[in-house]
Amino acid sequence: MEYPYQHKTSFYKEGRLGYSEEAVQLITDLVPSLHSVIADIGSGTGIFSSALLEKGYIVYGVEPNSELQKKAKSYLYQYKRFFPVDAFAENTALPDCSMDAITVASAFHWLKASPFLYECRRILKPEAYVFLLYNVRQTDDMFSQKQACICKRYCPGFFSFSHGAEKAKQRCSAFFVNGYEERLYSHNLVYTEEQFLSRCMSSSYSLNHTQKDYILYKQELENLIAEYSKENLITIHNQTAVWYGKVK
């Protein structure tokens, strides 16, 4: 598993918001939290791990990026049930048949699906679930359309705001060979102007400060954000998507 944001970790903690509480409740409905152990794969700065910890789970945060892992340790230091794991999704080094569930929040599209499926089967207990979660932006508003134009103008790697989720959904049928369920929950995201700029700059397609036109790209984003913000806040219309099933 290789992430393309190695030089963008400084934006992650501020720019990435959480997921729908209903999505977290879905997990607790299917996986009783008392004494249950979850492997949160691609746990990053600990955003989704924190939601699981709040529900009482024991969480192993599997993350190969050392800078993101440092931020997670700092963010989650008060949780005694959080165990950071410096490892890749396809080779977690977790014990066989040890996990009551696996969660992957906004990272499944980066994984090597076949080796990850094998690893899930190895570390999961029988009848356990894998949950794939994404925040999926709704783009039928003028702000999103103008932002997309800026991204297309400056960022060769930009396809859509939900390209990762789209790729993940396409892979679900092959990954969940026994079938899977889908749940969509309305979950608008409210950012300060500074948070939303960080969210933009943390995207894999975003230019970084060493690239040509970075200053122009950032300035156009800042101007757009200032134009549409209300009392320093930007609201992004969003859904949390959950695809889940059993892989054994």
Side-chain angles (χ1 to χ4, degrees):
M1 175 175 62
E2 294 183 359
Y3 295 120
Y5 49 67
Q6 299 296 321
H7 303 293
K8 299 178 180 181
T9 57
S10 61
F11 296 112
Y12 252 70
K13 183 64 185 73
E14 182 178 1
R16 300 290 174 129
L17 302 184
Y19 300 81
S20 165
E21 174 60 29
E22 294 167 296
V24 180
Q25 186 61 48
L26 171 67
I27 296 173
T28 61
D29 289 344
L30 295 172
V31 186
S33 59
L34 185 63
H35 306 306
S36 290
V37 185
I38 293 181
D40 187 25
I41 304 295
S43 52
T45 61
I47 293 170
F48 195 65
S49 293
S50 67
L52 297 172
L53 291 162
E54 283 293 319
K55 295 296 184 181
Y57 292 107
I58 300 166
V59 179
Y60 285 80
V62 179
E63 174 56 58
N65 184 297
S66 60
E67 289 302 313
L68 294 178
Q69 193 69 271
K70 286 179 185 176
K71 291 179 183 294
K73 290 176 184 177
S74 175
Y75 176 43
L76 302 173
Y77 74 93
Q78 74 273 31
Y79 292 101
K80 305 307 180 186
R81 297 184 307 278
F82 177 70
F83 300 94
V85 180
D86 182 8
F88 290 93
E90 302 85 356
N91 185 18
T92 65
L94 294 171
D96 291 356
C97 200
S98 60
M99 296 293 119
D100 294 291
I102 288 172
T103 58
V104 190
S106 299
F108 181 63
H109 61 293
W110 298 122
L111 309 185
K112 297 174 182 177
S114 294
F116 179 56
L117 175 59
Y118 178 83
E119 185 70 351
C120 288
R121 288 171 171 167
R122 184 185 70 80
I123 67 175
L124 281 174
K125 295 177 182 178
E127 300 301 314
Y129 285 95
V130 177
F131 299 89
L132 311 178
L133 301 96
Y134 280 83
N135 278 328
V136 182
R137 183 169 171 177
Q138 310 302 290
T139 57
D140 55 355
D141 59 286
M142 187 58 66
F143 174 77
S144 295
Q145 292 168 18
K146 287 185 177 181
Q147 186 190 351
C149 288
I150 294 172
C151 293
K152 288 175 183 177
R153 183 156 57 248
Y154 290 107
C155 305
F158 177 79
F159 297 99
S160 73
F161 294 121
S162 299
H163 187 58
E166 292 161 4
K167 288 175 64 178
K169 176 76 179 289
Q170 291 170 1
R171 299 168 72 180
C172 279
S173 294
F175 182 77
F176 293 111
V177 292
N178 299 318
Y180 67 95
E181 300 288 335
E182 177 185 70
R183 296 289 184 272
L184 299 173
Y185 303 105
S186 179
H187 181 57
N188 290 345
L189 302 173
V190 181
Y191 300 83
T192 65
E193 292 183 16
E194 295 78 11
Q195 281 179 319
F196 189 69
L197 183 61
S198 290
R199 176 63 185 88
C200 295
M201 306 314 286
S202 74
S203 296
S204 59
Y205 57 77
S206 179
L207 300 184
N208 64 54
H209 68 280
T210 65
Q211 291 179 289
K212 181 178 179 290
D213 293 331
Y214 171 80
I215 293 176
L216 288 174
Y217 166 65
K218 183 180 178 184
Q219 186 172 32
E220 287 203 32
L221 286 175
E222 288 173 335
N223 292 341
L224 180 67
I225 292 167
E227 179 185 353
Y228 278 85
S229 69
K230 296 180 180 179
E231 298 181 351
N232 192 44
L233 298 177
I234 290 285
T235 299
I236 299 300
H237 300 290
N238 176 77
Q239 290 181 324
T240 294
V242 187
W243 303 297
Y244 65 99
K246 298 175 182 179
V247 295
K248 284 194 174 184

